[in-house]
Amino acid sequence: MKVGIVGFGMMGRQIAQVFAQHENEVSVTDENHESLGLGMDEIENGPYGLKAAVARGKLSTTDSSTVLSRIKTVVHLKDACAHADLVIEAVYEDPDLKQRVFQEIDSSAPPTALLASNTSTLTLTKIAAKVKRKERVLGMHFFNPAQATKLVEVIHSRETAPETIQRGLEIIKLIGKTPILAKDEPGFIANRLGLTLFQEASRLLEDEIASINDIDNAMKLGYGHPMGPFQTADLVGLDTRLRNLESLFHATGDQKWLPSKALREMVNQGYLGDPSKRRGSKGGYYQFFRIEPRTEPP
Ligand SMILES: NC(=O)c1ccc[n+]([C@@H]2O[C@H](COP(=O)([O-])OP(=O)(O)OC[C@H]3O[C@@H](n4cnc5c(N)ncnc54)[C@H](O)[C@@H]3O)[C@@H](O)[C@H]2O)c1
């Protein structure tokens, strides 16, 4: 299968790698041309990249070069989409931007191509408002880091054709993931649940009921989550978290999605999450509040 990816930031890179590792030809583009080189470097050398997979014995060195050779970077969006069977959009979580990009993808991709968005919170109805082939639009919501996480949410709007949903589910299984299906409602399944937890964690912190360490440990040690809600936010990226909450708030008008003051402050000051995952970030919750992660009793 030929896959076009528009937006080669954190998620676009991960998704490109996953498809290339499953024998698909991938063309990627990004309006920031620097991102193209940085993205390829991350796919090769990043913490979940190909060298790391070789080091863990999951991939041979020869296979890793084959995987890398399946990913082509192109400067223009139309070249990423021209021969694609599937185009996945992974640009910033901004409804107007996504709408514009989707329209451009629609006029560049072959008429039979499926058009997917990796949006975390926006509705397909909004994003694809100006797309002609609405029956071929679906959501494919990957989870960070896509190389390691098994889940992909497949989203369908009222206009998505049953064959598109079917093909979407098949594609997700072909790349070794488990799909779950959700209707086109803000936040879908996983983010509605995950962001609810994060918002409650932020309230516990803001009301000084508990410390960051203890809130994270509550979910790790008490509920068996691999990471606490603040650690998850640091991994996802705090700017992405902020955009997700703002978009849920705008979409629903529900106060429960209003971002906390601390989150806004961190993003304004350049604390965008884990610096090993987010280039240029000053750190995440633990660095901003100057605390050491701790699992032992206080
Ligand atoms: N970060 C996460 O953990 C995560 C998880 C699941 C889904 N998502 C969703 O994936 C999408 C991308 O998030 P991200 O974290 O990769 O963001 P990011 O900021 O790392 O990357 C976005 C990329 O889009 C590029 N871009 C912006 N406008 C463009 C345009 N007109 N044409 C081409 N490229 C353009 C930017 O240059 C940037 O490289 C968002 O919708 C986000 O909500 C993010």
Side-chain angles (χ1 to χ4, degrees):
M1 188 170 56
K2 290 191 169 53
V3 183
I5 294 185
V6 179
F8 200 41
M10 185 187 264
M11 292 310 294
R13 296 163 191 183
Q14 298 177 2
I15 297 168
Q17 186 184 329
V18 169
F19 274 94
Q21 280 186 260
H22 287 83
E23 300 183 7
N24 299 290
E25 297 296 323
V26 185
S27 280
V28 302
T29 190
D30 196 293
E31 68 159 10
N32 174 359
H33 299 162
E34 211 188 325
S35 261
L36 297 174
L38 289 174
M40 291 307 290
D41 179 58
E42 201 167 316
I43 289 176
E44 207 175 346
N45 302 307
Y48 297 96
L50 298 171
K51 280 198 180 142
V54 171
R56 286 199 304 273
K58 303 235 165 181
L59 202 66
S60 72
T61 312
T62 322
D63 287 346
S64 115
S65 344
T66 311
V67 170
L68 204 59
S69 70
R70 289 191 190 120
I71 307 173
K72 303 268 178 296
T73 58
V74 294
V75 168
H76 300 293
L77 182 149
K78 64 175 170 34
D79 297 325
C81 303
H83 305 289
D85 303 299
L86 165 70
V87 180
I88 303 179
E89 165 278 311
V91 303
Y92 302 129
E93 191 79 339
D94 170 328
D96 297 333
L97 170 68
K98 283 193 191 275
Q99 207 175 76
R100 258 197 336 272
V101 167
F102 247 76
Q103 201 177 6
E104 224 182 306
I105 295 173
D106 192 26
S107 49
S108 309
T112 51
L114 298 189
L115 312 188
S117 174
N118 185 46
T119 181
S120 313
T121 52
L122 300 167
T123 63
L124 297 176
T125 311
K126 169 93 186 163
I127 297 173
K130 295 184 179 155
V131 167
K132 294 201 183 95
R133 64 182 95 182
K134 291 192 172 58
E135 73 289 353
R136 289 180 184 271
V137 171
L138 75 167
M140 283 187 180
H141 181 214
F142 287 79
F143 288 79
N144 187 1
Q147 300 95 328
T149 49
K150 284 278 167 219
L151 184 72
V152 179
E153 277 179 314
V154 172
I155 323 296
H156 60 102
S157 77
R158 270 196 245 163
E159 285 159 309
T160 310
E163 309 82 70
T164 302
I165 302 175
Q166 204 45 46
R167 183 65 187 139
L169 295 171
E170 274 165 25
I171 290 172
I172 299 307
K173 288 184 205 152
L174 286 173
I175 55 166
K177 310 281 182 203
T178 303
I180 55 174
L181 193 59
K183 282 190 184 162
D184 193 29
E185 283 298 317
F188 318 124
I189 305 171
N191 269 344
R192 212 153 132 181
L193 296 172
L195 287 167
T196 299
L197 176 63
F198 176 65
Q199 286 298 78
E200 282 305 322
S202 302
R203 268 174 222 124
L204 286 170
L205 183 67
E206 203 157 68
D207 296 344
E208 298 182 9
I209 292 168
S211 68
I212 291 179
N213 260 313
D214 285 354
I215 297 167
D216 272 344
N217 283 336
M219 299 319 291
K220 270 165 53 183
L221 306 180
Y223 273 73
H225 288 193
M227 284 177 291
F230 295 116
Q231 291 165 326
T232 306
D234 284 347
L235 172 77
V236 167
L238 299 182
D239 47 344
T240 299
R241 273 270 129 134
L242 180 61
R243 279 198 206 105
N244 288 344
L245 287 168
E246 281 172 338
S247 115
L248 276 178
F249 177 65
H250 287 306
T252 62
D254 191 334
Q255 301 275 329
K256 85 176 210 183
W257 301 121
L258 271 180
S260 70
K261 282 197 199 111
L263 179 63
R264 270 193 203 290
E265 192 57 35
M266 276 184 278
V267 172
N268 284 342
Q269 290 192 30
Y271 287 80
L272 306 180
D274 183 344
S276 73
K277 311 277 177 334
R278 204 71 172 170
R279 269 174 221 252
S281 166
K282 289 185 184 165
Y285 272 86
Y286 286 81
Q287 290 74 30
F288 183 80
F289 287 96
R290 294 178 205 283
I291 47 173
E292 283 296 316
R294 169 180 57 68
T295 43
E296 291 79 36

